Amino acid sequence: MEKPIIEFKDVCVSYTRNTMAVKNVSAAVERNSITAIMGPSGCGKSTLLRAVNLMHSLYPNIKVDGEILLNGQNILAMEPIEVRRKVGMVFQRPTPFPTMSIYENVLAGFSLNGIGLPRSEKEEIVEHSLRSVALWDEVKDVLNKKGTFLSGGQQQRLCIARALALKPDVLLLDEPTSALDPIATKHIEELLLQLKNDVTMLIVTHNMGQAMRISQRSMFMYLGELVEYGDTAQMFAAATDERTKAYLTGKMG
Amino acid sequence: MLVNGMKMKSRLLRDRMCFILVCTFAALTAVPLLAILGEVFVRGCTQFSWDFITEPTPTALKAMMAMRAGDAIPGGIANGIVGSLIMLGMAAAVAVPVGVLCGVYLAENSKKRFAVVVSYLSDLLQGTPSVIIGMITYVWVVVPMKGYSAIAGSVALFIMMLPLIIRSTEETMKILPASLKEAGLALGGNNARVMLKVQLPAAFGGIFTGVLLAVSRVVGETAPLIFTALGCSMVRWEIDKPIAAVPLLIWEFFNDPNLQELIWGASLFLLLFVLCLNITAKYLAKKWNK
């Protein structure tokens, strides 16, 4: 088997001294796949996801233990800016930078990293990134307008384009469609399936249908524990754990 | 139903009375402001002319002669306008960068003990009577420099503006959504770059509004300038010499029987200046919050 791109080894995350939001999670994530993280509210799925690009290091009271390996390197021992350039993130609500144009938003990753590019390369990156999220045709004439001028679904695709522009190895998606309408959600899901060949994705979702539609592997978390992890189709057909079964059949949510 | 018609009627009546009472008091609060505006406007507008804002203050003798002859007092407050603008400009040039950086620090590190202490001290500074700030500046700047000057005046105004800018910056930064900062950092930016390229631009409107309000707060300060800028009857551009300011002129006019007429024109100018700044600030704040 190919070497996993991400490996969680006994990962624990605690917000306060006595409460652990994520308990001893160990799992390996396959390259170029979509892995869904499911579970009821408060089960620690977002907390686990945010550990992968060291978001927790912003908040001094949050403690992360264990090891998270990215291509065999423990990211908990790496510099956050180094990790975050390889691990992109898309948030629940679209977060285009309000003072930047669409064009500048796509290139924000470069300007925030202090990377200067020649004009021709910039234009190429903008076009390529926007095409890869199927947004180019809709915005190519309004690239100088503010990103916030777009609809919610378009904003979210812009945010994905912005993350992809940096060519990350991994893309983390924290309920990326929960603030969107069904049509925009469908667009994003189709988009993620297309992107699978270029980037490994970890997606937190509370929408079981979404997990089934787009993911190859699924994690089910409950009260901070990784209860079950395996092939998505198999898990939906015959979950081994009672708690997973109860959640997937709607008896627990 | 237990609630019969009579009871219902009296409840509605009481509700109506409370409403009227609240409206009355709300209207009463507008009375002092409107009265001040009215009085200053009626008395001041007769003196207001182009000459009034482009000519320096007349000497007492000239003013007396003009009054004897039954003419309007010649001259105006140009020296005060120039002096006020110079001192406000210098004070703001230092207070804005220092205050904004301090406000950013306080917003980003609100839980650190040092930040809590600084924030508290800034509040105390804001509450310090301006006459004390004037006197301290006299001791710190005027005495060592061996003379009153525009520099000393702007130091006093700087001290008064600083806590206002710190507080407004801090409040503006705190209401920015955390997701903005996280999104910037998630793209691999370091804290400084995310602050400079994402957070500060997003907060610009609020910070700028705060600066305008701080300027409008200190433009009318008189006490600190009496100790520091002293005043001057000519239009002057040197910053190491005593200099005039509009509020100082009002105080001088009041003390000179021959010039008392000019008080109202100068007051009207000051009031209009503050009003313009406030309206601009309100407009900007509204535009930015959309």
Side-chain angles (χ1 to χ4, degrees):
Chain A
M1 191 183 127
E2 202 186 355
K3 211 170 170 242
I5 185 160
I6 299 174
E7 264 182 284
F8 296 99
K9 285 186 175 174
D10 269 325
V11 175
C12 299
V13 185
S14 52
Y15 286 90
T16 59
R17 200 167 295 168
N18 302 319
T19 51
M20 273 213 262
V22 170
K23 294 174 197 162
N24 300 312
V25 169
S26 294
V29 177
E30 278 172 38
R31 200 175 290 273
N32 294 346
S33 67
I34 301 180
T35 302
I37 310 177
M38 295 182 289
S41 296
C43 69
K45 54 192 190 301
S46 281
T47 305
L48 180 67
L49 189 80
R50 288 164 63 90
V52 183
N53 70 344
L54 299 178
M55 262 305 141
H56 296 315
S57 67
L58 294 183
Y59 307 94
N61 52 325
I62 303 180
K63 226 171 136 265
V64 183
D65 287 312
E67 278 184 8
I68 303 174
L69 304 182
L70 174 68
N71 294 320
Q73 256 190 306
N74 184 12
I75 63 161
L76 296 180
M78 283 162 74
E79 275 300 316
I81 37 179
E82 201 182 335
V83 174
R84 291 177 192 144
R85 221 181 290 180
K86 294 178 188 161
V87 183
M89 182 156 188
V90 175
F91 296 82
Q92 190 168 357
R93 295 197 162 275
T95 51
F97 299 132
T99 52
M100 294 187 193
S101 65
I102 295 171
Y103 185 88
E104 289 166 329
N105 257 292
V106 178
L107 295 169
F110 296 95
S111 60
L112 285 172
N113 281 302
I115 302 171
L117 297 171
R119 201 185 157 79
S120 58
E121 203 172 331
K122 278 187 185 174
E123 278 168 9
E124 203 184 298
I125 291 173
V126 169
E127 181 172 348
H128 181 260
S129 306
L130 288 175
R131 275 195 195 283
S132 65
V133 296
L135 196 58
W136 176 252
D137 291 330
E138 292 161 54
V139 303
K140 63 174 185 239
D141 299 322
V142 291
L143 288 176
N144 289 320
K145 286 211 177 184
K146 295 267 179 280
T148 41
F149 145 91
L150 300 170
S151 75
Q154 288 174 322
Q155 286 187 17
Q156 196 62 302
R157 276 184 282 159
L158 175 62
C159 291
I160 297 175
R162 185 172 70 185
L164 290 177
L166 287 169
K167 300 207 182 307
D169 296 335
V170 179
L171 189 60
L172 308 174
L173 301 122
D174 191 355
E175 302 197 29
T177 61
S178 66
L180 304 181
D181 62 77
I183 292 169
T185 300
K186 187 165 166 276
H187 279 156
I188 302 262
E189 286 182 6
E190 287 166 356
L191 169 68
L192 297 182
L193 280 173
Q194 284 165 21
L195 293 174
K196 185 164 72 93
N197 299 325
D198 302 317
V199 59
T200 308
M201 280 171 273
L202 266 175
I203 178 169
V204 162
T205 178
H206 58 224
N207 180 334
M208 283 178 273
Q210 183 167 63
M212 198 157 70
R213 285 191 296 272
I214 65 172
S215 74
Q216 288 75 56
R217 309 260 293 163
S218 287
M219 296 183 187
F220 173 70
M221 291 185 69
Y222 186 65
L223 299 176
E225 281 174 56
L226 178 59
V227 173
E228 194 163 342
Y229 178 36
D231 197 70
T232 302
Q234 208 170 355
M235 192 189 285
F236 275 88
T240 46
D241 195 280
E242 281 307 314
R243 291 168 291 182
T244 317
K245 243 183 235 170
Y247 181 75
L248 293 180
T249 52
K251 284 181 188 137
M252 172 178 88
Chain B
M1 290 292 277
L2 277 174
V3 181
N4 58 35
M6 273 306 281
K7 233 178 184 169
M8 193 56 142
K9 245 186 198 161
S10 84
R11 283 173 63 185
L12 285 174
L13 193 71
R14 258 184 294 167
D15 182 50
R16 186 92 205 131
M17 275 163 61
C18 279
F19 180 71
I20 292 172
L21 203 68
V22 170
C23 286
T24 313
F25 280 115
L28 277 179
T29 58
V31 169
L33 176 70
L34 292 176
I36 292 171
L37 277 178
E39 176 104 31
V40 172
F41 197 80
V42 168
R43 287 177 179 248
C45 69
T46 54
Q47 284 155 17
F48 229 62
S49 65
W50 183 245
D51 280 353
F52 188 74
I53 52 173
T54 55
E55 295 286 325
T57 315
T59 59
L61 185 70
K62 258 193 193 166
M64 202 166 68
M65 304 265 275
M67 277 209 292
R68 285 253 175 88
D71 294 337
I73 298 178
I77 55 168
N79 49 339
I81 296 175
V82 169
S84 279
L85 290 181
I86 287 178
M87 285 191 284
L88 284 175
M90 290 201 295
V94 185
V96 170
V98 174
V100 168
L101 286 181
C102 182
V104 163
Y105 170 79
L106 295 183
E108 288 288 304
N109 301 282
S110 57
K111 293 208 176 85
K112 283 194 185 143
R113 175 176 294 233
F114 179 63
V116 173
V117 173
V118 171
S119 177
Y120 185 66
L121 290 178
S122 153
D123 281 351
L124 282 183
L125 185 59
Q126 193 174 338
T128 309
S130 60
V131 65
I132 295 178
I133 290 177
M135 207 189 60
I136 297 286
T137 314
Y138 175 84
V139 174
W140 284 351
V141 183
V142 177
V143 172
M145 284 183 64
K146 301 197 172 65
Y148 299 97
S149 63
I151 297 177
S154 52
V155 170
L157 295 185
F158 157 75
I159 297 175
M160 300 219 57
M161 280 171 88
L162 196 56
L164 300 169
I165 295 177
I166 292 175
R167 181 41 45 95
S168 64
T169 304
E170 188 186 348
E171 296 301 326
T172 310
M173 296 304 294
K174 274 188 179 165
I175 55 170
L176 284 185
S179 60
L180 209 57
K181 179 183 168 188
E182 290 186 353
L185 290 170
L187 286 168
N190 59 25
N191 280 315
R193 281 223 176 82
V194 173
M195 175 56 71
L196 218 60
K197 299 209 163 155
V198 177
Q199 288 168 279
L200 275 180
F204 179 79
I207 294 174
F208 193 67
T209 305
V211 170
L212 284 188
L213 289 178
V215 170
S216 83
R217 256 288 276 113
V218 302
V219 66
E221 280 299 338
T222 320
L225 296 183
I226 293 177
F227 288 89
T228 53
L230 192 65
C232 174
S233 56
M234 310 177 283
V235 175
R236 187 174 252 171
W237 300 91
E238 297 106 309
I239 55 169
D240 56 344
K241 302 263 168 58
I243 201 166
V246 180
L248 275 182
L249 285 180
I250 296 176
W251 174 239
E252 283 168 26
F253 295 158
F254 178 76
N255 286 314
D256 190 331
N258 295 309
L259 295 174
Q260 272 178 6
E261 283 295 304
L262 292 175
I263 287 180
W264 298 103
S267 304
L268 180 61
F269 176 84
L270 202 54
L271 208 57
L272 288 179
F273 187 80
V274 170
L275 220 57
C276 283
L277 280 180
N278 273 286
I279 291 169
T280 315
K282 279 248 161 71
Y283 170 77
L284 281 180
K286 210 171 162 187
K287 200 178 150 197
W288 231 273
N289 285 336
K290 258 185 207 166

